[in-house]
């Protein structure tokens, strides 16, 4: 199938604000479009979204497909799926990327199923690679055993679609002098669209300091076994002015908030210091702090794979070492 | 109001044993020998929600469906013991190697041709695949609306539900949906029940149907490996360039050491 060599990004807006993960995804799309000598285009759906389209241009979008209508203010899964699928059929992009947040993960699979193409979830990276003499898009996702990474590619169907984890790519620097083409697309609601309607959207402020963007992250795993342990970790974080993240079991036990899950299903962080406590170091987790400048790992098991991915490993029981650390670091 | 309810469930490797799962370095396929299997935890919540709806609307019928290899039938037996009325097992060698689209297609072939449910309930995500893609793709292939990340569902009338869709930081969307529709649920939607001795006994008398590719009249190009547009093309060992200095000893000394290292590295 021949395509127009465009790399598309779904630019999600909520209440008139572009989502950070969409801008990060745009950063990845810029990289990929250079590799394939193509162009980057954003698909923007909302009510009065003209100013956001300009903003996307300043971030590097060479084209913006803008679909604006009062009915489209909030995400509506049927309408958004239809709009994007029809645009794909009309313009035939080479790739289409979505941020892997909750709404992105609701929408991307539906679009992929409607246009019958492949979709890879929660990619930690995407690049062009030569396989069997052909340049192809390859996604990397963590595999099971310690540090194994799986590479996934697409068959001949286009666009190649992927959702990119939050923090996996960098948001480009905006530049007001950039020029781009804004293509406005008309919207007419169909009976199908109206089968599902968002009546209300309530956004909340993070209850805990978000791990994304934090200079220091303290992250706990299943080694946390009680509320007291949670307090201990929090105390260490407070001493350091750090955000608290954690592994999936820690999240499931509600020791850390859902939004601060570290790893392929959660956030990818790049703080100057990352302290992992009582987490074994599964690839799904450690891919989330690969970009940290300095990593300290605390675990009582000397064989834990976490010690393979840290700068400084401390083999100790968290109940003993964390209070000592709090003491030692308080006085800095 | 009697509803036809279908709940999609999947057997997964027990997450307690994830560190023992290895990958075949050549094919990239997962080797899970000796790793115990369980029902995907969120699918228990999906089933619980299905049971609650069934109990609320007399005459409703709940079908549990899975696609998987022969051992996966266990999760259906479990579903029957918990209170599902019938089980449908989609199992065929030709289904093997399916990515999410091929999985969704196979489930949709059953739902569309034989199931015709008013409401399909899925887990929001499986713990071993964690794509969360199957549910929206199944809905799309059936041409019905879907809502993921559902933490509350309320029936307005027999053809309309309102679902609460959780989004980041505790926010949410209130979504009104016309049935037939699919919802994918998160853990907080309910507390799951335990199986009873009576439930276990009753399970033996319930309908259990196994269907293969031929019975579904599935297009061979759309199932299993052949029907999967994404492919594993390789695996590699992640090389991480870190100092890997591992220390043990008295915690006071270790704590001092951490402090020194952090000042050396100019972090504190
Ligand atoms: C597709 C997929 C996606 C996934 N996505 C993610 C993800 O995004 N994020 C994620 O975290 N996981 C994810 N997982 C799960 C991941 O594979 C691991 O199961 C998980 O990271 C393990 O968490 P853990 O290290 O906290 O628990 P464990 O592996 O059980 O490790 C606990 C560690 O704590 C240590 N410990 C126990 N007590 C103490 C103590 N008192 N003091 C010091 N140390 C102690 C133990 O020695 C052990 O090393 C995913 C899995 C799959 C299949
Ligand atoms: N093989 C399968 N058989 C039945 N249901 C499935 C299967 N795979 C996924 N599902 C359903 O889709 C949900 C999301 O799965 P996933 O997309 O793999 O994260 C699960 O919680 C199940 O409800």
């Amino acid at each position: 199938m021949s395509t127009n060599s465009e790399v598309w990004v779904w630019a999600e807006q909520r209440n008139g604000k572009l989502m950070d993960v969409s801008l990060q995804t745009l950063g990845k799309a810029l990289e990929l479009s250079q590799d394939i000598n193509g162009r980057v285009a954003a698909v923007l759906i909302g009510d009065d979204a003209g100013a956001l389209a300009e903003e996307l241009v300043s971030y590097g979008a060479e084209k913006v497909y803008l679909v604006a209508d009062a009915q489209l203010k909030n995400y509506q899964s049927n309408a958004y799926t239809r709009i994007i699928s029809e645009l794909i059929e009309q313009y035939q992009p080479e790739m289409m990327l979505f941020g892997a947040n909750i709404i992105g993960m609701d929408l991307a699979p539906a679009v992929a199923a409607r246009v019958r193409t492949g979709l890879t979830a929660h990619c930690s990276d995407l690049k062009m690679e030569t396989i069997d003499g052909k340049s192809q898009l390859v996604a990397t996702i963590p595999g099971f055993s310690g540090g194994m990474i799986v590479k996934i590619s697409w068959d001949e169907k286009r666009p190649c679609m992927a959702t990119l984890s939050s923090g996996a790519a960098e948001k480009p620097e905006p530049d007001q002098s950039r020029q781009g083409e804004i293509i406005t697309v008309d919207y007419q609601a169909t009976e199908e669209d109206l089968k599902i309607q968002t009546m209300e959207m309530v956004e909340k402020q993070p209850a805990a300091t978000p791990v994304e963007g934090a200079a220091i992250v303290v992250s706990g795993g299943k080694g946390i076994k009680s509320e007291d342990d949670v307090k201990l970790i929090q105390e260490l974080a407070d001493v350091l002015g750090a955000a608290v993240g954690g592994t999936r079991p820690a999240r499931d036990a509600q020791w850390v908030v859902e939004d601060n899950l570290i790893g392929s299903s959660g956030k990818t962080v790049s703080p100057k210091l990352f302290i992992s406590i009582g987490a074994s170091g599964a690839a799904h987790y450690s891919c989330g702090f690969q970009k940290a400048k300095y990593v300290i790992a605390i675990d009582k098991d000397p064989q834990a794979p976490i010690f393979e991915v840290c700068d400084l490993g401390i083999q100790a029981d968290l109940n003993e070492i964390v209070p000592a650390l709090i003491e030692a670091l308080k006085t800095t | 109001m009697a509803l036809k309810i279908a709940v999609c469930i999947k057997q997964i490797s027990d997450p307690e044993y994830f560190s023992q799962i290895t990958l075949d370095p050549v094919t990239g396929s997962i080797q899970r020998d000796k790793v115990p299997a369980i029902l995907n935890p969120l699918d228990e919540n999906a089933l619980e929600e299905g049971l609650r709806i069934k109990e609320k609307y007399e005459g409703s019928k709940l079908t549990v469906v899975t696609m998987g290899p022969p051992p996966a039938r266990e999760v259906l037996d479990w579903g029957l013991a918990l209170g599902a009325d019938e089980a449908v097992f989609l199992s065929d060698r030709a289904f093997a190697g399916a990515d999410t689209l091929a999985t969704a297609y196979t489930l949709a072939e059953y739902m569309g041709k034989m199931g015709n449910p008013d409401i399909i309930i899925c887990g929001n995500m499986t713990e071993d695949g964690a794509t969360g893609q199957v549910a929206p793709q199944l809905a799309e292939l059936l041409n019905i609306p879907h809502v993921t990340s559902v933490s509350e569902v309320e029936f307005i009338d027999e053809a309309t539900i309102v679902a609460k869709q959780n989004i980041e930081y505790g926010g949410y969307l209130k979504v009104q949906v016309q049935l037939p529709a699919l919802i994918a649920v998160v853990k907080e939607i309910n507390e799951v029940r335990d199986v009873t001795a009576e439930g276990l006994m009753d399970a033996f008398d319930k309908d259990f149907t196994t269907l293969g590719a031929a019975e579904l009249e599935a297009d061979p190009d759309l199932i299993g490996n052949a029907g999967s547009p994404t492919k594993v093309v390789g695996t590699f060992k992640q090389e991480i360039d870190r100092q890997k200095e591992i220390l043990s000893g008295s915690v006071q000394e270790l704590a001092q050491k951490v402090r020194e290292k952090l000042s050396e590295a100019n972090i504190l």
Side-chain angles (χ1 to χ4, degrees), chain B residues 9-123:
Chain B
I9 62 178
K10 189 189 169 192
Q11 188 178 51
I12 65 161
S13 305
D14 188 336
E16 292 289 331
Y17 294 78
F18 275 175
S19 58
Q20 290 169 35
I21 299 175
T22 54
L23 294 170
D24 183 320
V26 182
T27 62
S29 61
I30 294 172
Q31 297 178 319
R32 37 182 126 216
D33 325 345
K34 301 191 206 87
V35 174
I38 59 164
L39 170 60
N40 179 47
L42 286 182
D43 296 355
E44 293 187 35
N45 297 96
L47 186 51
E48 177 65 36
E49 202 55 30
L51 291 168
R52 289 184 188 194
I53 295 170
K54 167 182 140 80
E55 285 155 5
K56 194 156 159 201
Y57 299 108
E58 211 178 308
S60 296
K61 184 174 176 189
L62 192 159
T63 308
V64 273
V65 186
T66 195
M67 178 194 93
R73 68 167 289 146
E74 279 174 23
V75 294
L76 295 175
D77 291 335
W78 187 249
L80 291 175
L82 278 166
D85 298 298
E86 63 160 0
V88 174
F89 189 27
L90 309 176
S91 195
D92 195 313
R93 293 180 86 112
F95 297 152
D99 72 359
T100 64
L101 190 60
T103 301
Y105 169 78
T106 308
L107 293 169
E109 283 297 286
Y110 165 73
M111 299 286 177
K113 285 182 184 155
M114 301 166 204
N116 296 311
D118 298 300
I119 184 161
I120 301 176
I121 310 175
C122 290

